[in-house]
PDB file of all heavy atoms in Angstrom:
ATOM      1  N   GLN A  17      -0.525 -12.232  13.231  1.00 88.00           N
ATOM      2  CA  GLN A  17      -1.404 -13.286  13.737  1.00 88.00           C
ATOM      3  C   GLN A  17      -1.674 -13.139  15.236  1.00 88.00           C
ATOM      4  O   GLN A  17      -2.131 -14.072  15.883  1.00 88.00           O
ATOM      5  CB  GLN A  17      -0.770 -14.660  13.475  1.00 88.00           C
ATOM      6  CG  GLN A  17      -0.441 -14.924  12.021  1.00 88.00           C
ATOM      7  CD  GLN A  17       0.312 -16.229  11.821  1.00 88.00           C
ATOM      8  OE1 GLN A  17       0.377 -17.083  12.722  1.00 88.00           O
ATOM      9  NE2 GLN A  17       0.898 -16.414  10.641  1.00 88.00           N
ATOM     10  N   SER A  18      -1.425 -11.984  15.792  1.00 89.00           N
ATOM     11  CA  SER A  18      -1.526 -11.788  17.235  1.00 89.00           C
ATOM     12  C   SER A  18      -2.965 -11.791  17.721  1.00 89.00           C
ATOM     13  O   SER A  18      -3.910 -11.565  16.963  1.00 89.00           O
ATOM     14  CB  SER A  18      -0.862 -10.466  17.625  1.00 89.00           C
ATOM     15  OG  SER A  18      -1.580  -9.373  17.083  1.00 89.00           O
ATOM     16  N   ALA A  19      -3.097 -12.049  19.027  1.00 88.00           N
ATOM     17  CA  ALA A  19      -4.412 -12.009  19.651  1.00 88.00           C
ATOM     18  C   ALA A  19      -4.984 -10.593  19.603  1.00 88.00           C
ATOM     19  O   ALA A  19      -6.202 -10.409  19.523  1.00 88.00           O
ATOM     20  CB  ALA A  19      -4.316 -12.486  21.096  1.00 88.00           C
ATOM     21  N   GLY A  20      -4.093  -9.597  19.642  1.00 91.00           N
ATOM     22  CA  GLY A  20      -4.543  -8.206  19.555  1.00 91.00           C
ATOM     23  C   GLY A  20      -5.250  -7.925  18.246  1.00 91.00           C
ATOM     24  O   GLY A  20      -6.253  -7.204  18.216  1.00 91.00           O
ATOM     25  N   ARG A  21      -4.739  -8.508  17.169  1.00 92.00           N
ATOM     26  CA  ARG A  21      -5.397  -8.286  15.873  1.00 92.00           C
ATOM     27  C   ARG A  21      -6.790  -8.912  15.853  1.00 92.00           C
ATOM     28  O   ARG A  21      -7.736  -8.315  15.342  1.00 92.00           O
ATOM     29  CB  ARG A  21      -4.553  -8.885  14.740  1.00 92.00           C
ATOM     30  CG  ARG A  21      -5.198  -8.643  13.376  1.00 92.00           C
ATOM     31  CD  ARG A  21      -4.360  -9.135  12.228  1.00 92.00           C
ATOM     32  NE  ARG A  21      -4.925  -8.717  10.952  1.00 92.00           N
ATOM     33  CZ  ARG A  21      -4.391  -8.985   9.776  1.00 92.00           C
ATOM     34  NH1 ARG A  21      -3.245  -9.685   9.701  1.00 92.00           N
ATOM     35  NH2 ARG A  21      -4.970  -8.564   8.653  1.00 92.00           N
ATOM     36  N   ILE A  22      -6.913 -10.110  16.414  1.00 91.00           N
ATOM     37  CA  ILE A  22      -8.219 -10.772  16.450  1.00 91.00           C
ATOM     38  C   ILE A  22      -9.206  -9.942  17.266  1.00 91.00           C
ATOM     39  O   ILE A  22     -10.364  -9.757  16.878  1.00 91.00           O
ATOM     40  CB  ILE A  22      -8.082 -12.184  17.042  1.00 91.00           C
ATOM     41  CG1 ILE A  22      -7.136 -13.025  16.182  1.00 91.00           C
ATOM     42  CG2 ILE A  22      -9.444 -12.861  17.139  1.00 91.00           C
ATOM     43  CD1 ILE A  22      -6.832 -14.383  16.774  1.00 91.00           C
ATOM     44  N   LEU A  23      -8.733  -9.419  18.404  1.00 93.00           N
ATOM     45  CA  LEU A  23      -9.597  -8.609  19.272  1.00 93.00           C
ATOM     46  C   LEU A  23     -10.076  -7.361  18.540  1.00 93.00           C
ATOM     47  O   LEU A  23     -11.282  -7.065  18.505  1.00 93.00           O
ATOM     48  CB  LEU A  23      -8.839  -8.217  20.534  1.00 93.00           C
ATOM     49  CG  LEU A  23      -9.563  -7.229  21.464  1.00 93.00           C
ATOM     50  CD1 LEU A  23     -10.861  -7.826  21.984  1.00 93.00           C
ATOM     51  CD2 LEU A  23      -8.648  -6.816  22.620  1.00 93.00           C
ATOM     52  N   PHE A  24      -9.137  -6.616  17.943  1.00 93.00           N
ATOM     53  CA  PHE A  24      -9.519  -5.374  17.266  1.00 93.00           C
ATOM     54  C   PHE A  24     -10.352  -5.655  16.020  1.00 93.00           C
ATOM     55  O   PHE A  24     -11.240  -4.870  15.669  1.00 93.00           O
ATOM     56  CB  PHE A  24      -8.272  -4.564  16.904  1.00 93.00           C
ATOM     57  CG  PHE A  24      -7.785  -3.685  18.019  1.00 93.00           C
ATOM     58  CD1 PHE A  24      -6.803  -4.125  18.900  1.00 93.00           C
ATOM     59  CD2 PHE A  24      -8.320  -2.419  18.217  1.00 93.00           C
ATOM     60  CE1 PHE A  24      -6.358  -3.329  19.938  1.00 93.00           C
ATOM     61  CE2 PHE A  24      -7.879  -1.608  19.253  1.00 93.00           C
ATOM     62  CZ  PHE A  24      -6.892  -2.063  20.120  1.00 93.00           C
ATOM     63  N   LEU A  25     -10.080  -6.777  15.366  1.00 93.00           N
ATOM     64  CA  LEU A  25     -10.888  -7.139  14.199  1.00 93.00           C
ATOM     65  C   LEU A  25     -12.336  -7.383  14.599  1.00 93.00           C
ATOM     66  O   LEU A  25     -13.270  -6.912  13.927  1.00 93.00           O
ATOM     67  CB  LEU A  25     -10.304  -8.396  13.545  1.00 93.00           C
ATOM     68  CG  LEU A  25     -11.079  -8.928  12.335  1.00 93.00           C
ATOM     69  CD1 LEU A  25     -10.914  -8.003  11.140  1.00 93.00           C
ATOM     70  CD2 LEU A  25     -10.633 -10.342  11.979  1.00 93.00           C
ATOM     71  N   CYS A  26     -12.534  -8.103  15.708  1.00 94.00           N
ATOM     72  CA  CYS A  26     -13.894  -8.387  16.181  1.00 94.00           C
ATOM     73  C   CYS A  26     -14.592  -7.101  16.632  1.00 94.00           C
ATOM     74  O   CYS A  26     -15.783  -6.898  16.347  1.00 94.00           O
ATOM     75  CB  CYS A  26     -13.856  -9.410  17.313  1.00 94.00           C
ATOM     76  SG  CYS A  26     -13.399 -11.076  16.774  1.00 94.00           S
ATOM     77  N   LEU A  27     -13.870  -6.245  17.346  1.00 95.00           N
ATOM     78  CA  LEU A  27     -14.443  -4.970  17.765  1.00 95.00           C
ATOM     79  C   LEU A  27     -14.821  -4.135  16.545  1.00 95.00           C
ATOM     80  O   LEU A  27     -15.892  -3.506  16.513  1.00 95.00           O
ATOM     81  CB  LEU A  27     -13.447  -4.204  18.636  1.00 95.00           C
ATOM     82  CG  LEU A  27     -13.168  -4.773  20.030  1.00 95.00           C
ATOM     83  CD1 LEU A  27     -12.054  -3.973  20.708  1.00 95.00           C
ATOM     84  CD2 LEU A  27     -14.429  -4.751  20.889  1.00 95.00           C
ATOM     85  N   HIS A  28     -13.955  -4.136  15.556  1.00 95.00           N
ATOM     86  CA  HIS A  28     -14.185  -3.354  14.346  1.00 95.00           C
ATOM     87  C   HIS A  28     -15.413  -3.854  13.598  1.00 95.00           C
ATOM     88  O   HIS A  28     -16.283  -3.052  13.201  1.00 95.00           O
ATOM     89  CB  HIS A  28     -12.940  -3.442  13.457  1.00 95.00           C
ATOM     90  CG  HIS A  28     -12.905  -2.422  12.361  1.00 95.00           C
ATOM     91  ND1 HIS A  28     -13.544  -2.598  11.159  1.00 95.00           N
ATOM     92  CD2 HIS A  28     -12.307  -1.204  12.281  1.00 95.00           C
ATOM     93  CE1 HIS A  28     -13.343  -1.549  10.383  1.00 95.00           C
ATOM     94  NE2 HIS A  28     -12.593  -0.682  11.040  1.00 95.00           N
ATOM     95  N   PHE A  29     -15.521  -5.166  13.416  1.00 96.00           N
ATOM     96  CA  PHE A  29     -16.651  -5.691  12.662  1.00 96.00           C
ATOM     97  C   PHE A  29     -17.951  -5.595  13.463  1.00 96.00           C
ATOM     98  O   PHE A  29     -19.024  -5.356  12.889  1.00 96.00           O
ATOM     99  CB  PHE A  29     -16.402  -7.141  12.249  1.00 96.00           C
ATOM    100  CG  PHE A  29     -17.395  -7.643  11.240  1.00 96.00           C
ATOM    101  CD1 PHE A  29     -17.383  -7.168   9.942  1.00 96.00           C
ATOM    102  CD2 PHE A  29     -18.363  -8.570  11.593  1.00 96.00           C
ATOM    103  CE1 PHE A  29     -18.298  -7.603   9.006  1.00 96.00           C
ATOM    104  CE2 PHE A  29     -19.292  -9.019  10.668  1.00 96.00           C
ATOM    105  CZ  PHE A  29     -19.261  -8.533   9.363  1.00 96.00           C
ATOM    106  N   GLY A  30     -17.870  -5.781  14.771  1.00 96.00           N
ATOM    107  CA  GLY A  30     -19.059  -5.597  15.606  1.00 96.00           C
ATOM    108  C   GLY A  30     -19.577  -4.183  15.514  1.00 96.00           C
ATOM    109  O   GLY A  30     -20.795  -3.939  15.413  1.00 96.00           O
ATOM    110  N   ASN A  31     -18.665  -3.219  15.528  1.00 97.00           N
ATOM    111  CA  ASN A  31     -19.045  -1.818  15.377  1.00 97.00           C
ATOM    112  C   ASN A  31     -19.661  -1.579  13.997  1.00 97.00           C
ATOM    113  O   ASN A  31     -20.619  -0.814  13.853  1.00 97.00           O
ATOM    114  CB  ASN A  31     -17.806  -0.938  15.558  1.00 97.00           C
ATOM    115  CG  ASN A  31     -18.145   0.536  15.665  1.00 97.00           C
ATOM    116  OD1 ASN A  31     -18.452   1.050  16.736  1.00 97.00           O
ATOM    117  ND2 ASN A  31     -18.089   1.240  14.542  1.00 97.00           N
ATOM    118  N   THR A  32     -19.119  -2.253  12.984  1.00 97.00           N
ATOM    119  CA  THR A  32     -19.656  -2.128  11.626  1.00 97.00           C
ATOM    120  C   THR A  32     -21.102  -2.597  11.559  1.00 97.00           C
ATOM    121  O   THR A  32     -21.959  -1.947  10.937  1.00 97.00           O
ATOM    122  CB  THR A  32     -18.803  -2.942  10.635  1.00 97.00           C
ATOM    123  OG1 THR A  32     -17.485  -2.399  10.579  1.00 97.00           O
ATOM    124  CG2 THR A  32     -19.410  -2.910   9.239  1.00 97.00           C
ATOM    125  N   LEU A  33     -21.400  -3.723  12.183  1.00 97.00           N
ATOM    126  CA  LEU A  33     -22.770  -4.240  12.178  1.00 97.00           C
ATOM    127  C   LEU A  33     -23.726  -3.266  12.865  1.00 97.00           C
ATOM    128  O   LEU A  33     -24.844  -3.037  12.384  1.00 97.00           O
ATOM    129  CB  LEU A  33     -22.815  -5.605  12.868  1.00 97.00           C
ATOM    130  CG  LEU A  33     -22.115  -6.756  12.142  1.00 97.00           C
ATOM    131  CD1 LEU A  33     -22.183  -8.036  12.976  1.00 97.00           C
ATOM    132  CD2 LEU A  33     -22.729  -6.992  10.766  1.00 97.00           C
ATOM    133  N   LEU A  34     -23.305  -2.694  13.968  1.00 98.00           N
ATOM    134  CA  LEU A  34     -24.146  -1.712  14.658  1.00 98.00           C
ATOM    135  C   LEU A  34     -24.340  -0.459  13.803  1.00 98.00           C
ATOM    136  O   LEU A  34     -25.430   0.125  13.777  1.00 98.00           O
ATOM    137  CB  LEU A  34     -23.516  -1.336  15.999  1.00 98.00           C
ATOM    138  CG  LEU A  34     -23.453  -2.450  17.051  1.00 98.00           C
ATOM    139  CD1 LEU A  34     -22.709  -1.969  18.302  1.00 98.00           C
ATOM    140  CD2 LEU A  34     -24.857  -2.916  17.430  1.00 98.00           C
ATOM    141  N   LEU A  35     -23.293  -0.053  13.090  1.00 98.00           N
ATOM    142  CA  LEU A  35     -23.393   1.104  12.205  1.00 98.00           C
ATOM    143  C   LEU A  35     -24.417   0.850  11.099  1.00 98.00           C
ATOM    144  O   LEU A  35     -25.280   1.700  10.822  1.00 98.00           O
ATOM    145  CB  LEU A  35     -22.023   1.408  11.589  1.00 98.00           C
ATOM    146  CG  LEU A  35     -21.992   2.466  10.485  1.00 98.00           C
ATOM    147  CD1 LEU A  35     -22.429   3.823  11.024  1.00 98.00           C
ATOM    148  CD2 LEU A  35     -20.596   2.549   9.862  1.00 98.00           C
ATOM    149  N   LEU A  36     -24.335  -0.316  10.456  1.00 98.00           N
ATOM    150  CA  LEU A  36     -25.288  -0.638   9.397  1.00 98.00           C
ATOM    151  C   LEU A  36     -26.708  -0.731   9.954  1.00 98.00           C
ATOM    152  O   LEU A  36     -27.675  -0.342   9.280  1.00 98.00           O
ATOM    153  CB  LEU A  36     -24.901  -1.956   8.723  1.00 98.00           C
ATOM    154  CG  LEU A  36     -23.569  -1.966   7.963  1.00 98.00           C
ATOM    155  CD1 LEU A  36     -23.328  -3.338   7.332  1.00 98.00           C
ATOM    156  CD2 LEU A  36     -23.535  -0.876   6.902  1.00 98.00           C
ATOM    157  N   ALA A  37     -26.833  -1.219  11.171  1.00 98.00           N
ATOM    158  CA  ALA A  37     -28.159  -1.323  11.798  1.00 98.00           C
ATOM    159  C   ALA A  37     -28.763   0.056  12.015  1.00 98.00           C
ATOM    160  O   ALA A  37     -29.941   0.297  11.691  1.00 98.00           O
ATOM    161  CB  ALA A  37     -28.055  -2.076  13.124  1.00 98.00           C
ATOM    162  N   THR A  38     -27.986   0.992  12.554  1.00 98.00           N
ATOM    163  CA  THR A  38     -28.520   2.333  12.821  1.00 98.00           C
ATOM    164  C   THR A  38     -28.832   3.081  11.529  1.00 98.00           C
ATOM    165  O   THR A  38     -29.845   3.787  11.441  1.00 98.00           O
ATOM    166  CB  THR A  38     -27.531   3.155  13.664  1.00 98.00           C
ATOM    167  OG1 THR A  38     -26.233   3.153  13.034  1.00 98.00           O
ATOM    168  CG2 THR A  38     -27.395   2.590  15.065  1.00 98.00           C
ATOM    169  N   LEU A  39     -27.997   2.907  10.523  1.00 98.00           N
ATOM    170  CA  LEU A  39     -28.263   3.572   9.246  1.00 98.00           C
ATOM    171  C   LEU A  39     -29.511   3.005   8.569  1.00 98.00           C
ATOM    172  O   LEU A  39     -30.310   3.763   7.994  1.00 98.00           O
ATOM    173  CB  LEU A  39     -27.057   3.420   8.316  1.00 98.00           C
ATOM    174  CG  LEU A  39     -25.820   4.264   8.649  1.00 98.00           C
ATOM    175  CD1 LEU A  39     -24.673   3.921   7.717  1.00 98.00           C
ATOM    176  CD2 LEU A  39     -26.140   5.760   8.566  1.00 98.00           C
ATOM    177  N   SER A  40     -29.693   1.695   8.633  1.00 97.00           N
ATOM    178  CA  SER A  40     -30.868   1.082   8.010  1.00 97.00           C
ATOM    179  C   SER A  40     -32.147   1.485   8.741  1.00 97.00           C
ATOM    180  O   SER A  40     -33.170   1.773   8.101  1.00 97.00           O
ATOM    181  CB  SER A  40     -30.721  -0.439   7.972  1.00 97.00           C
ATOM    182  OG  SER A  40     -30.568  -0.980   9.275  1.00 97.00           O
ATOM    183  N   LEU A  41     -32.098   1.540  10.065  1.00 97.00           N
ATOM    184  CA  LEU A  41     -33.268   1.983  10.826  1.00 97.00           C
ATOM    185  C   LEU A  41     -33.591   3.444  10.528  1.00 97.00           C
ATOM    186  O   LEU A  41     -34.758   3.820  10.373  1.00 97.00           O
ATOM    187  CB  LEU A  41     -33.023   1.783  12.320  1.00 97.00           C
ATOM    188  CG  LEU A  41     -33.028   0.340  12.819  1.00 97.00           C
ATOM    189  CD1 LEU A  41     -32.570   0.271  14.263  1.00 97.00           C
ATOM    190  CD2 LEU A  41     -34.412  -0.292  12.671  1.00 97.00           C
ATOM    191  N   THR A  42     -32.563   4.273  10.435  1.00 97.00           N
ATOM    192  CA  THR A  42     -32.769   5.681  10.106  1.00 97.00           C
ATOM    193  C   THR A  42     -33.459   5.835   8.757  1.00 97.00           C
ATOM    194  O   THR A  42     -34.456   6.563   8.628  1.00 97.00           O
ATOM    195  CB  THR A  42     -31.421   6.428  10.069  1.00 97.00           C
ATOM    196  OG1 THR A  42     -30.808   6.367  11.359  1.00 97.00           O
ATOM    197  CG2 THR A  42     -31.618   7.884   9.673  1.00 97.00           C
ATOM    198  N   ALA A  43     -32.938   5.146   7.758  1.00 96.00           N
ATOM    199  CA  ALA A  43     -33.511   5.239   6.415  1.00 96.00           C
ATOM    200  C   ALA A  43     -34.948   4.738   6.396  1.00 96.00           C
ATOM    201  O   ALA A  43     -35.829   5.343   5.760  1.00 96.00           O
ATOM    202  CB  ALA A  43     -32.653   4.445   5.429  1.00 96.00           C
ATOM    203  N   ASN A  44     -35.207   3.651   7.111  1.00 95.00           N
ATOM    204  CA  ASN A  44     -36.554   3.081   7.118  1.00 95.00           C
ATOM    205  C   ASN A  44     -37.545   3.989   7.846  1.00 95.00           C
ATOM    206  O   ASN A  44     -38.663   4.209   7.374  1.00 95.00           O
ATOM    207  CB  ASN A  44     -36.523   1.711   7.774  1.00 95.00           C
ATOM    208  CG  ASN A  44     -37.853   0.992   7.682  1.00 95.00           C
ATOM    209  OD1 ASN A  44     -38.357   0.709   6.599  1.00 95.00           O
ATOM    210  ND2 ASN A  44     -38.453   0.718   8.832  1.00 95.00           N
TER     211      ASN A  44
END
């Protein structure tokens, strides 16, 4: 339940959204 986990979780999911954005733009 550490603050470190929350930080890395947010960084991880933010990176995921950017990844999906670049892949969708590429495909389109």
Side-chain angles (χ1 to χ4, degrees):
Q17 304 174 14
S18 66
R21 181 176 188 179
I22 300 174
L23 173 62
F24 275 94
L25 178 71
C26 290
L27 290 174
H28 195 276
F29 192 70
N31 190 85
T32 296
L33 292 177
L34 294 176
L35 172 63
L36 295 181
T38 53
L39 287 175
S40 59
L41 288 171
T42 298
N44 186 61

